[in-house]
Amino acid sequence: MSELSGQRAANWIGRLDEYEQRVQNSPGPAVEGVLRRVIGLTMEAEGCQAPVGGRCHVVSPDGSRFEAEVVGFAGEKLFLMPAGDVRGIVPDARIIPSQRVDEVQVSDELLGRVIDGAGQPLDGLPLPESGEKVRLAGHTINPLDRQPIREPLDVGVRSINSLLSVGRGQRIGLFAGSGVGKSRLLGMMTRFTDADVTVVGLIGERGREVKEFVEDVLGADGMRRAVVVATPADHPPLMRMHGAYLATSIAEYFRDRGKKVLLLMDSLTRFAQAQREIALAIGEPPATKGYPPSVFARLPQLVERAGNGANPDGSITAFYTVLVEGDDQTDPIADASRAILDGHMVLSRQLAESGLYPAIDVEASISRAMTEITDPAHQQQVRRFRQLYATYRHNEDLISVGAYRKGSDPRVDAAIAYWPKIQDFLRQDLGEAVNWSDSLNALDRLLEQPVTTAEKEAEA
């Protein structure tokens, strides 16, 4: 038996020696390749080797060049996605693999700056010369090393503080269709939230909104502790994805140094659409309503980087806007986002059209960390508010047409009596900040009337 084992070991050693000799005698990979075909946003190159995620320089005969990233391969072909404008590119352009790694230089001097997805300045000022290099891909945190969510975060919005309490390190989604007030609510939280550093990722949105957000929403005071990463809709899909990665990497840098970071990303849907464009361009088949499987793999990879880390002093509290196409809450991206986030706030078009801002639908929204950061008395008040709110909304049609007769249901009578005060409680002006304690006191004042018999029966 031992002789047989020794013979097998000798055979394996012989194979390894043969393999090493073959590798030494074989020619190395070509340094340069040739661009063979461009279809849409995808470029096919031959004659060079580079890993997926690697960078290559595309050089035209006139000497002009731009960067592209390897997004796939098939046999001897590499599929590249440009990081910039491809106008002027010609057949048989040179493809030179680069050793550069996707990383950016980050330091405290980056505060107050506006940069793009490649880390280049958009504000006309030079980038800081000193800093630490951080990778766009980030690093994975052991789940057992993450600090639990135990401390509430004051966001300055009365309805969120009291009814949908957010904890430091929580990840929340803002779900709404277009024109319902997502950006307005983000602006309020940006100005009012108690955070050391604010990182804003404007991903795939309109270009005019960048300057408006910087000047009107953040202002001079807000920009002193903020970093804005902007990749508007006219940027290539690769740059839009890099913008989301870069904003998250900057937030990770400050969190790991004990800072309380507020990460705002508008929007997670545009990030998913950018990945869809890339995946479909290289031939990945669509799976769910035109979205390839890689889209649903990329979402948790991005979102899981936020939250609490190993440093007990640092945290990333993240708010991601999710554009719900046609107000359809079963949209694939919305459905996938709800599953990986720590709560969601749904903005109602009906409430927005009625003039109630922020148009948060309390009945459809939830904060999964609320029970960990609030006391039982607070939770009891929230349950009572939700019962009154839901009772009125479920009977709203009967009430509005006058079909409901007072006295038919004591619970509905109580909801009707409370409804004007509920609307006033939920309504908040854009420039009005309501801190944590004032929000809870306002909720107590709203519900200070004695609990009715019908309400007691409903709670039971």
Side-chain angles (χ1 to χ4, degrees), residues 50-54 69-73 78 298:
V52 174
E69 182 175 309
V70 180
V71 295
F73 59 85
L78 286 183
R298 295 279 189 180

Side-chain angles (χ1 to χ4, degrees), residues 135-376:
R135 296 176 61 91
L136 291 186
H139 58 276
T140 303
I141 301 177
N142 187 328
L144 298 180
D145 292 337
R146 286 186 180 270
Q147 299 296 318
I149 300 174
R150 293 291 185 265
E151 182 183 353
L153 177 70
D154 184 1
V155 299
V157 180
R158 181 170 47 241
S159 55
I160 297 178
N161 282 342
S162 57
L163 305 174
L164 301 165
S165 304
V166 176
R168 290 195 183 276
Q170 195 170 349
R171 299 160 303 189
I172 296 288
L174 301 180
F175 293 73
S178 57
V180 186
K182 297 188 302 297
S183 299
R184 180 174 179 174
L185 180 56
L186 274 183
M188 295 176 67
M189 290 188 292
T190 302
R191 291 195 304 273
F192 304 149
T193 299
D194 179 21
D196 299 326
V197 177
T198 301
V199 181
V200 181
L202 302 177
I203 312 301
E205 297 300 321
R206 293 180 289 273
R208 68 170 181 83
E209 292 183 344
V210 176
K211 187 173 184 179
E212 292 177 359
F213 195 92
V214 170
E215 295 183 354
D216 300 337
V217 176
L218 284 174
D221 293 337
M223 278 300 295
R224 290 192 184 97
R225 60 181 179 93
V227 182
V228 178
V229 181
T231 53
D234 59 343
H235 285 213
L238 187 65
M239 290 301 294
R240 279 178 264 149
M241 291 190 64
H242 283 185
Y245 290 140
L246 177 54
T248 307
S249 295
I250 295 173
E252 287 175 325
Y253 169 84
F254 287 107
R255 175 194 62 189
D256 294 342
R257 277 146 191 80
K259 301 290 186 180
K260 294 178 174 60
V261 182
L262 175 66
L263 173 62
L264 306 174
M265 191 168 294
D266 187 13
S267 70
L268 196 62
T269 304
R270 304 303 185 195
F271 169 82
Q273 290 174 348
Q275 172 60 23
R276 178 178 64 179
E277 292 178 38
I278 294 174
L280 293 178
I282 63 176
E284 186 179 350
T288 307
K289 292 188 178 180
Y291 287 96
S294 62
V295 173
F296 303 101
R298 295 279 189 180
L299 286 175
Q301 291 174 0
L302 177 69
V303 172
E304 282 295 320
R305 293 170 58 184
N308 291 331
N311 189 333
D313 298 324
S315 64
I316 299 177
T317 306
F319 288 88
Y320 300 92
T321 65
V322 180
L323 180 61
V324 182
E325 301 290 349
D327 295 331
D328 180 13
Q329 295 296 329
T330 62
D331 177 81
I333 301 303
D335 199 40
S337 300
R338 270 192 298 269
I340 59 178
L341 293 170
D342 302 323
H344 56 272
M345 301 176 188
V346 179
L347 303 187
S348 166
R349 186 174 301 277
Q350 180 183 1
L351 294 177
E353 291 173 349
S354 66
L356 194 153
Y357 284 100
I360 301 175
D361 187 348
V362 177
E363 187 179 7
S365 306
I366 189 172
S367 172
R368 295 180 180 174
M370 187 168 180
T371 55
E372 306 297 330
I373 60 176
T374 57
D375 55 49

Side-chain angles (χ1 to χ4, degrees), residues 66-114:
F66 61 86
E67 277 195 330
E69 182 175 309
V70 180
V71 295
F73 59 85
E76 300 298 325
K77 295 181 181 179
L78 286 183
F79 298 133
L80 307 174
M81 191 69 62
D85 192 358
V86 298
R87 284 180 294 184
I89 196 67
V90 297
D92 296 332
R94 296 163 57 200
I95 306 295
I96 305 176
S98 170
Q99 299 298 322
R100 189 174 78 84
V101 180
D102 284 330
E103 58 185 13
V104 66
Q105 190 168 272
V106 184
S107 68
D108 290 342
E109 297 179 8
L110 203 59
L111 296 175
R113 303 300 304 275
V114 182

